[in-house]
Amino acid sequence: MNHRVDAPEQAIDFNNENSNTSANPTFDAVLGARLSRRGLLRGSVGTVGTAVLGGFGVTACGGSDDPIAEANPVPEAKLLGFGAVPKSLADTVVVPAGYTASVLFALGDPLAAGVAAYKNDGTDGDFNKRAGDHHDGMEWFGLGADGKRNDSATERGLLAINHEATTDEKLSSFFLHANGGTSTLPRPAAEVDKETDIHGIAVIEVATTAGKWGYVPTSALNFRLTALSAIEIAGPARGHAQLVTKYSTDGTRTRGTLNNCGTGKTPWGTFLTGEENWFGYFTRGATDDAARGNDKSVTSLKRYGRNQGAASRHGWETGGIDDKYQRWNNSKIGVSANGSDDYRNEMNGMGYIVEIDAYDKTRMAKKRTALGRFAHESAAFGKVEAGKPLSVYMGDDSRGEYIYKFVSTALWSTADANAADRMAVGDKYLDSGKLYVAKFNADGTGTWVELALTNTAISGYTTYSFADAADIAINTRLAADAVGATKMDRPEWNAVNPANGEIYFTLTNNSNRRIDPASGQYLPDAANPRAYTDMKGTSAQNGNPNGHLVRLKEGSSVSSFSWDVYLFGAESGADKALVNISALTADQDFSSPDGLVFSKATGICWIQTDDGAYTDVTNCMMLAAVPGQVGDGAKKTLSYTKADGSKLDIITPVGKAATESTLKRFLVGPKGCEITGLAETPDGKAIFVNIQHPGEGTAMANIGDATKYQSQWPANAGYGAGKRPRSATIVITKNDGGKIGT
Ligand code: FEO
Ligand code: CA
Ligand code: CA
């Protein structure tokens, strides 16, 4: 997500709503009084000399080049052989010595024939034929010489890229407009049209020639989906009364995919994209609750972050009388009983995992409603085994939201892996199944609770009356509240370790954890055990400002798992008993883990950050990890003293301590960015990484004065016209031709 941490004037946070007011406890175990134990983990401190090298506008630093290593390629078994990249506040991408990072595809770059080069001065148009903004999750789809799917291709492929959002202030995506745009209502149609077009996804062809990667601007395979593209509703909610709109009076379609964050790739070769903070784009009238007769749709809207009177993030509903603008007004304004004459139900068309055939732009994308509706991040498949159901793991990124698992009804048939009609395979596995939510127990076990009307906690829920399975698919958060799911510290991406099938989740941070919670705040619990204060200059960051990662191991039944905390984000100098519990060194310390991808080629777990807490010391980064397994560490006790002097001890299973062989910083990005999304070629010799919203701390008032931009990347790396910062995909290769991260 983007978050304007340096723009306090933006009072409303459209990216991180906070609507879980359910009474279910964050954690239901009794916390026994235990002796406080200062659990110290011993970490080795590895430092390397720093060499700064020029190259393609990025800086390489770390260990000096080793001629012996170059003559004798690094054994494949040796991972993390690179020199750690130091923390950096420079306006550049820093990678280890021996690596090269190059800009590949930036905001505004053309992806269709006849589209002019990007001027980057606010006068460009045709954004539905250009790279969108805020590049996020990303997947690789190999192409053979015939331009068709080839899973073993390493030199030619498609990248499917999420374009999550845009850098904005006071309504306007100011880098996209010549003078910064209009920051009052109504918004001009021309500005709104640009802003809707830079959302969605892009599919672009990429190829390497003589070791140099580029994208193919005029490839016939390239395409965009935007916030206005027609998309099918699939699964249990298809045709449901809650999806009836003026645009789709039978509730089978909607327009657009929005705020696309994490991704997934199916075993049959399609792209999955998660719709995250979509609620903020809609407005509701000041008296809409009464207009709806205070029916259950009001309960639903509130639970998904839209109280009556809510303003929209960009004011797109004011672009004109055309239906494409009016659809952003989620108020009941029509006279029909079913909503077929207005957009009172429009928000119910957002919040899903969307399946897209990256190889075939003629196939309409489908929203897979069986996987639930929330602030979706990535969708990772568990171990794929013939004759068994498929599992898909997902997180809901808002404070105090939940972790989910979908299990298909259909059993996996290997013949489906290469079926010609990929979307039909998606129908088979993703439209029917069971959806579960996670409850974490204090003893390191957990339960997947099925969200179904057969559960009396759901059928008898007094807060919201569920009508049918579709109602659960659309109002998933309410169903999860009903069964008492565990409130987590903002579940971001998840990824499955290909070595053992264990599932890793980043929990990016949570400002609502407190030892002495006020209303709307929660006590720490075993799976979310930290509540502390970190200073950012003179500003106190409270709760769990640095985030952590949990990992799960499936149990003997579909409803059981075990878990531990894999790693805690922290500053290396922080207290090792309560904050830097993983004993991170200066080469490893990080804050706010977000993107998470396991390399199938090397097994490396790539951890990316989207931080606002440690950014006084370092820009956001990417680390390489070689994790062990659930249970490889020991239980730790975090001993807190409450305001009244009483003790609060939280006991939590923590993974084996990281060493310099198992965790190392690989990349630091330019100013104001987050690092997100990673795709690799199947040989592991090229990785693609997204630099999202460099310069997002720029004040709109400074548009036109490049000297006042927080960042001028990638222009300062020699890429493209103009000096306005641009989100971009970069490609990283190893100069000796080896696998990335070795
Ligand atoms: Fe788009 Fe939760 O990150
Ligand atoms: Ca994210
Ligand atoms: Ca700090």
Side-chain angles (χ1 to χ4, degrees):
M1 72 158 56
N2 72 321
H3 59 119
R4 300 251 308 160
V5 293
D6 298 321
E9 71 276 16
Q10 179 155 317
I12 304 166
D13 184 352
F14 293 109
N15 281 316
N16 196 358
E17 54 70 55
N18 187 27
S19 53
N20 191 352
T21 54
S22 66
N24 60 304
T26 56
F27 189 64
D28 51 8
V30 176
L31 299 165
R34 293 282 293 260
L35 284 175
S36 172
R37 180 165 64 90
R38 297 288 171 191
L40 285 166
L41 299 179
R42 186 165 293 128
S44 55
V45 179
T47 53
V48 291
T50 298
V52 179
L53 308 171
F56 297 96
V58 301
T59 308
C61 64
S64 58
D65 289 339
D66 180 352
I68 297 171
E70 284 187 356
N72 303 292
V74 179
E76 290 185 2
K78 179 155 172 41
L79 298 174
L80 277 47
F82 58 88
V85 169
K87 293 185 283 289
S88 167
L89 288 169
D91 193 24
T92 185
V93 174
V94 190
V95 293
Y99 286 84
T100 299
S102 310
V103 181
L104 188 77
F105 181 65
L107 164 68
D109 279 343
L111 54 70
V115 180
Y118 194 56
K119 295 195 287 292
N120 194 25
D121 60 2
T123 64
D124 300 276
D126 298 325
F127 275 95
N128 60 351
K129 296 175 188 165
R130 299 182 181 277
D133 205 353
H134 283 207
H135 303 42
D136 205 320
M138 178 166 52
E139 301 288 343
W140 161 270
F141 298 89
L143 286 172
D146 58 358
K148 300 268 197 293
R149 176 182 174 187
N150 181 327
D151 290 351
S152 56
T154 58
E155 299 189 337
R156 183 186 183 196
L158 300 170
L159 287 177
I161 303 169
N162 282 346
H163 291 296
E164 185 184 33
T166 177
T167 301
D168 55 352
E169 182 183 319
K170 296 172 185 151
L171 305 169
S172 181
S173 309
F174 56 93
F175 285 126
L176 298 180
H177 308 307
N179 58 1
T182 306
S183 57
T184 53
L185 298 177
R187 301 290 314 285
E191 291 183 11
V192 174
D193 293 346
K194 277 192 195 184
E195 292 173 9
T196 48
D197 277 350
I198 54 87
H199 285 73
I201 65 109
V203 174
I204 54 162
E205 182 179 342
V206 296
T208 181
T209 310
K212 173 84 177 146
W213 283 90
Y215 85 99
V216 185
T218 57
S219 171
L221 298 171
N222 296 347
F223 68 97
R224 283 289 318 282
L225 295 183
T226 74
L228 291 169
S229 302
I231 301 187
E232 291 276 335
I233 304 290
R238 179 179 173 82
H240 194 266
Q242 292 178 34
L243 283 158
V244 169
T245 64
K246 190 175 171 186
Y247 171 76
S248 180
T249 55
D250 63 359
T252 58
R253 279 193 186 179
T254 188
R255 274 171 297 187
T257 184
L258 204 54
N259 214 269
N260 302 78
C261 188
T263 54
K265 187 175 177 181
T266 65
W268 52 96
T270 59
F271 178 58
L272 299 181
T273 175
E275 299 177 329
E276 189 190 5
N277 291 308
W278 36 272
F279 63 94
Y281 295 81
F282 297 90
T283 188
R284 279 187 69 208
T287 57
D288 193 44
D289 287 359
R292 292 170 182 268
N294 282 296
D295 65 8
K296 72 178 198 176
S297 74
V298 172
T299 307
S300 166
L301 286 159
K302 287 181 176 168
R303 185 63 181 85
Y304 282 92
R306 287 294 81 177
N307 291 331
Q308 67 176 358
S312 65
R313 176 172 179 166
H314 297 289
W316 289 344
E317 72 281 0
T318 65
I321 57 169
D322 191 292
D323 196 59
K324 70 179 179 181
Y325 307 115
Q326 294 303 311
R327 57 87 59 113
W328 302 108
N329 182 350
N330 202 70
S331 308
K332 181 182 179 185
I333 53 178
V335 296
S336 69
N338 67 353
S340 59
D341 58 349
D342 62 15
Y343 288 100
R344 78 188 71 158
N345 293 324
E346 185 74 343
M347 219 171 83
N348 292 337
M350 294 287 179
Y352 300 103
I353 292 291
V354 185
E355 184 179 17
I356 297 163
D357 189 343
Y359 290 108
D360 187 352
K361 62 186 178 187
T362 69
R363 299 301 301 269
M364 191 177 286
K366 293 188 175 185
K367 302 210 176 188
R368 298 296 184 186
T369 63
L371 279 67
R373 177 168 167 265
F374 41 90
H376 274 287
E377 294 279 343
S378 64
F381 282 79
K383 223 185 255 181
V384 175
E385 296 177 88
K388 295 194 173 168
L390 298 177
S391 297
V392 186
Y393 300 92
M394 301 167 288
D396 181 357
D397 179 15
S398 276
R399 286 184 282 268
E401 295 296 347
Y402 310 126
I403 284 174
Y404 296 88
K405 168 174 81 165
F406 170 81
V407 179
S408 68
T409 303
L411 308 180
W412 176 243
S413 165
T414 52
D416 289 329
N418 292 298
D421 188 342
R422 287 175 286 270
M423 294 303 285
V425 180
D427 295 343
K428 176 179 174 182
Y429 293 101
L430 297 180
D431 283 349
S432 174
K434 291 179 176 175
L435 187 61
Y436 300 83
V437 70
K439 282 178 89 164
F440 289 77
N441 302 320
D443 62 358
T445 66
T447 307
W448 292 110
V449 184
E450 188 188 347
L451 301 178
L453 280 171
T454 49
N455 186 329
T456 54
I458 294 175
S459 59
Y461 194 43
T462 53
T463 303
Y464 185 89
S465 174
F466 286 96
D468 48 32
D471 209 353
I472 294 173
I474 297 167
N475 293 288
T476 312
R477 282 181 175 173
L478 286 158
D481 292 345
V483 302
T486 304
K487 291 180 176 177
M488 307 298 288
D489 286 350
R490 294 187 51 202
E492 281 268 5
W493 288 52
N494 77 97
V496 173
N497 186 346
N500 59 16
E502 292 181 2
I503 309 106
Y504 285 64
F505 272 88
T506 53
L507 299 166
T508 194
N509 56 58
N510 188 352
S511 55
N512 282 349
R513 293 275 169 204
R514 288 293 190 287
I515 302 306
D516 293 285
S519 174
Q521 298 176 339
Y522 341 112
L523 277 173
D525 60 35
N528 306 273
R530 291 188 307 176
Y532 58 99
T533 298
D534 167 66
M535 295 309 294
K536 181 183 179 188
T538 56
S539 163
Q541 319 282 310
N542 295 309
N544 174 14
N546 302 126
H548 60 289
L549 294 95
V550 293
R551 59 185 169 188
L552 286 62
K553 177 182 184 176
E554 290 287 19
S556 53
S557 80
V558 70
S559 60
S560 67
F561 66 89
S562 55
W563 64 274
D564 66 10
V565 176
Y566 162 51
L567 199 60
F568 290 96
E571 300 180 10
S572 58
D575 168 38
K576 288 188 170 59
L578 293 175
V579 182
N580 187 15
I581 297 163
S582 296
L584 303 180
T585 68
D587 288 340
Q588 301 169 323
D589 59 346
F590 67 95
S591 176
S592 301
D594 185 340
L596 189 70
V597 176
F598 270 94
S599 163
K600 287 196 169 73
T602 61
I604 287 174
C605 177
W606 295 101
I607 302 168
Q608 303 170 317
T609 70
D610 174 15
D611 186 39
Y614 204 13
T615 44
D616 52 337
V617 173
T618 183
N619 300 337
C620 287
M621 64 184 68
M622 183 167 87
L623 304 103
V626 183
Q629 59 197 24
V630 170
D632 64 9
K635 289 201 169 171
K636 301 271 172 195
T637 301
L638 283 69
S639 286
Y640 298 104
T641 303
K642 294 173 71 73
D644 65 4
S646 64
K647 297 287 182 191
L648 174 67
D649 280 2
I650 307 292
I651 303 161
T652 188
V654 181
K656 189 177 173 184
T659 69
E660 64 180 339
S661 305
T662 61
L663 181 67
K664 199 178 278 188
R665 191 179 302 106
F666 180 85
L667 176 152
V668 181
K671 289 175 183 285
C673 78
E674 70 174 88
I675 310 297
T676 184
L678 185 145
E680 66 179 356
T681 53
D683 58 6
K685 294 181 175 179
I687 62 171
F688 306 89
V689 173
N690 284 324
I691 309 296
Q692 187 185 109
H693 61 67
E696 78 159 353
T698 304
M700 182 176 174
N702 289 328
I703 197 77
D705 182 354
T707 65
K708 292 182 177 168
Y709 296 167
Q710 183 192 27
S711 168
Q712 293 185 13
W713 190 90
N716 66 4
Y719 189 87
K723 291 188 173 176
R724 299 181 181 204
R726 300 160 71 186
S727 296
T729 302
I730 61 171
V731 57
I732 300 171
T733 50
K734 197 162 184 246
N735 298 347
D736 67 4
K739 295 185 179 188
I740 310 304
T742 54

